[in-house]
Structure formats: structure tokens, C-alpha cells
């Protein structure tokens, strides 16, 4: 699976959009981009994933560049409860296996 | 629908002992995977089971083992515990075992080895 690079930490004001970048310059054509987050002392929570098109769900939006070498997770109106470590993961589409390779992630702190 | 349930939530053991952790996946989910989380190494994949068969294994010593039952519930066992085994052990389930499946994680079992 391709390696990802994320900033170690970011701050965001409550109510504002949080834009979390991820670099995955060695991504292959069949690798998906996944985002998970982990609130302290809990298990990671799935947020969103995509292959090449931009995706949106009730939690967030995922913007993938045309060359697929980077992506941005957007939380449109961050709240204090969005304070967490956010992990960007790229993953090969396999016919078997649910292995995720977690990096160090980005600690997002939402400030009041 | 109930989420992934892990028991116990906390566990204290001493070096040399063995421990068994339990995971009940979301109803209908057939794939269960296990992860270890430590401050130094982060989240690391241990192994994955699908339909009672180990499908994938991480880079951990043979002291770490697991199994899955016909109802998809899973257990993992660590024998001859070492201090470095102190960690949060997380279980995740998914509907199938494939590259496009999202994983649902439990809250984990916090293991302390003294």
C-alpha cells in the first residue's frame, strides 16, 4: 500500500471548515483513499473513502486531485467533538483482506 | 444495530501469563481483524479472519494468535506476556473481506502487563 504524508497537527476554530491535507504521491491506479479518525480512547471511526472522484457524505467531503497524488478531507462546520486524530490511508482493492496501514495521522484540535 | 463489542474493556496481567480477548462483530459481518495500538508504534495490524479462516497476518511473533467461530465472533490470545505487550487491542469488523470495505472498530481492550 502507498505511503501517505500528513501534517502532525492542525487547529481549527469551531464553526469553520477544517481542511486536512494528505499526500500520497506514489498511489497506484487501483488504490483507494480512506479517511478514519480516532477520538481519544476510542476505536477509529470510518469517515469517507474514494478512488478518483470527489465524494461527500453526512460527515465530510473528500477532494482528490486529478493526478490522485494528494487529497483533502473537509469537515464543513467543525465542532469541538471533531477534535481527534485523522488518518489518511491508501489501500489496494483486494479480493481478500481488510488490512489497513495506519500512519501517524493529523491531530486536529477544534478550538471554541 | 449493535456495534462491535470487545471484552473485557480493561485487563491487568503479569509477565509470563497468557490472555484471551474477545470480539463480537456487528451482526451479519463476516470479517474480523485485530490491531494493536501503542504510543511508540501506533496502530498495527495483527491479523484478519474471514469465515473462520485467517486471511491475512501482520508482522507479530507467534505468541499472538487468534481464531474465529462459526458465528463470526473472534478471540485473540497472547501467550507468555511481555511488558511490551501492554497496549490497546482493537477489533474491527466488516461485511466482507475486500478492498472497498469500510471497517467498524470496537472501543478496544486496554491490556497492561506488569
Amino acid at each position: 500500500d502507498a505511503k501517505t504524508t500528513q501534517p502532525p497537527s492542525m487547529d481549527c476554530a469551531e464553526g469553520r471548515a477544517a481542511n486536512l491535507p494528505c499526500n500520497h504521491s506514489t498511489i497506484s491506479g487501483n488504490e483507494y483513499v480512506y479517511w478514519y479518525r480516532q477520538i481519544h480512547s476510542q476505536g477509529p471511526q470510518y469517515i469517507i473513502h474514494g478512488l478518483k472522484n470527489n465524494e461527500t457524505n453526512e460527515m465530510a467531503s473528500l477532494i482528490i486531485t486529478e493526478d490522485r497524488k494528494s487529497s483533502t478531507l473537509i469537515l464543513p462546520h467543525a465542532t469541538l467533538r471533531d477534535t481527534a486524530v485523522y488518518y489518511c490511508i491508501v489501500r489496494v482493492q483486494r479480493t481478500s483482506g481488510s488490512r489497513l496501514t495506519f500512519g501517524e495521522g493529523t491531530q486536529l484540535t477544534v478550538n471554541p | 444495530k449493535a456495534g462491535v463489542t470487545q471484552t473485557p474493556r480493561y485487563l491487568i496481567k503479569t509477565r509470563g501469563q497468557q490472555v484471551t480477548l474477545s470480539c463480537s462483530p456487528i451482526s451479519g459481518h463476516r470479517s474480523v481483524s485485530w490491531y494493536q495500538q501503542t504510543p511508540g508504534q501506533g496502530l498495527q495490524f495483527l491479523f484478519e479472519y474471514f469465515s473462520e479462516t485467517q486471511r491475512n497476518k501482520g508482522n507479530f511473533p507467534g505468541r499472538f494468535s487468534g481464531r474465529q467461530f462459526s458465528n463470526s465472533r473472534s478471540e485473540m490470545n497472547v501467550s507468555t506476556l511481555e511488558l511490551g505487550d501492554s497496549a490497546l487491542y482493537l477489533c474491527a469488523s466488516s461485511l466482507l473481506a475486500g478492498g472497498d470495505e469500510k471497517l467498524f472498530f470496537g472501543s478496544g481492550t486496554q491490556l497492561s502487563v506488569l
Side-chain angles (χ1 to χ4, degrees), chain B residues 34-110:
Chain B
W34 289 89
Y35 289 79
Q36 182 198 64
Q37 185 170 29
T38 60
Q41 299 297 320
L43 272 156
Q44 293 187 288
F45 172 81
L46 279 157
F47 30 64
E48 182 211 358
Y49 288 86
F50 180 76
S51 294
E52 302 178 65
T53 301
Q54 188 179 89
R55 299 293 292 267
N56 214 339
K57 189 177 188 307
N59 188 26
F60 279 81
R63 300 186 296 108
F64 292 82
S65 62
R67 59 178 176 169
Q68 186 180 34
F69 302 96
S70 58
N71 61 359
S72 294
R73 191 177 70 84
S74 177
E75 289 181 346
M76 69 161 282
N77 184 76
V78 188
S79 62
T80 319
L81 283 166
E82 301 176 0
L83 295 178
D85 297 332
S86 294
L88 179 66
Y89 289 88
L90 292 157
C91 167
S93 76
S94 63
L95 191 59
L96 299 173
D100 195 26
E101 289 296 321
K102 43 189 172 183
L103 303 189
F104 295 85
F105 284 82
S107 295
T109 294
Q110 183 66 55

Side-chain angles (χ1 to χ4, degrees), chain A residues 32 34 36 38 41-46 49 87 91-103, chain B residues 9 31 33 35 37 43 45 48 55-58 90 94 96-103 105-107:
Chain A
Y32 286 76
Y34 280 75
Y36 282 79
Q38 186 175 26
S41 298
Q42 297 181 23
Q45 176 190 24
Y46 166 84
H49 76 281
Y87 297 98
R91 183 176 169 212
V92 174
Q93 181 181 16
R94 295 192 175 104
T95 56
S96 65
S98 297
R99 178 179 191 153
L100 297 179
T101 302
F102 288 85
Chain B
R9 184 70 177 93
S31 172
S33 48
Y35 289 79
Q37 185 170 29
L43 272 156
F45 172 81
E48 182 211 358
R55 299 293 292 267
N56 214 339
K57 189 177 188 307
L90 292 157
S94 63
L96 299 173
D100 195 26
E101 289 296 321
K102 43 189 172 183
L103 303 189
F105 284 82
S107 295

Side-chain angles (χ1 to χ4, degrees), chain A residues 23-36:
Chain A
N23 184 291
H24 31 79
S25 57
T26 60
I27 192 169
S28 302
N30 60 349
E31 288 184 306
Y32 286 76
V33 179
Y34 280 75
W35 283 84
Y36 282 79

Side-chain angles (χ1 to χ4, degrees), chain A:
Chain A
D1 294 342
K3 183 182 165 88
T4 62
T5 303
Q6 299 178 253
S9 64
M10 293 183 65
D11 286 294
C12 177
E14 189 178 18
R16 302 297 294 270
N19 297 285
L20 291 91
C22 179
N23 184 291
H24 31 79
S25 57
T26 60
I27 192 169
S28 302
N30 60 349
E31 288 184 306
Y32 286 76
V33 179
Y34 280 75
W35 283 84
Y36 282 79
R37 73 180 182 184
Q38 186 175 26
I39 296 169
H40 185 62
S41 298
Q42 297 181 23
Q45 176 190 24
Y46 166 84
I47 301 173
I48 198 167
H49 76 281
L51 183 62
K52 58 177 77 173
N53 298 319
N54 297 338
E55 302 287 345
T56 296
N57 63 19
E58 65 280 2
M59 289 184 68
S61 295
L62 173 61
I63 308 298
I64 303 174
T65 58
E66 192 169 340
D67 63 8
R68 304 209 324 122
K69 293 186 176 181
S70 66
S71 61
T72 301
L73 177 74
I74 301 172
L75 308 178
H77 305 286
T79 70
L80 299 179
R81 288 178 295 180
D82 291 322
T83 292
V85 177
Y86 287 76
Y87 297 98
C88 169
I89 300 163
V90 291
R91 183 176 169 212
V92 174
Q93 181 181 16
R94 295 192 175 104
T95 56
S96 65
S98 297
R99 178 179 191 153
L100 297 179
T101 302
F102 288 85
E104 296 186 3
T106 295
Q107 171 66 58
L108 174 69
T109 302
V110 180
N111 300 304

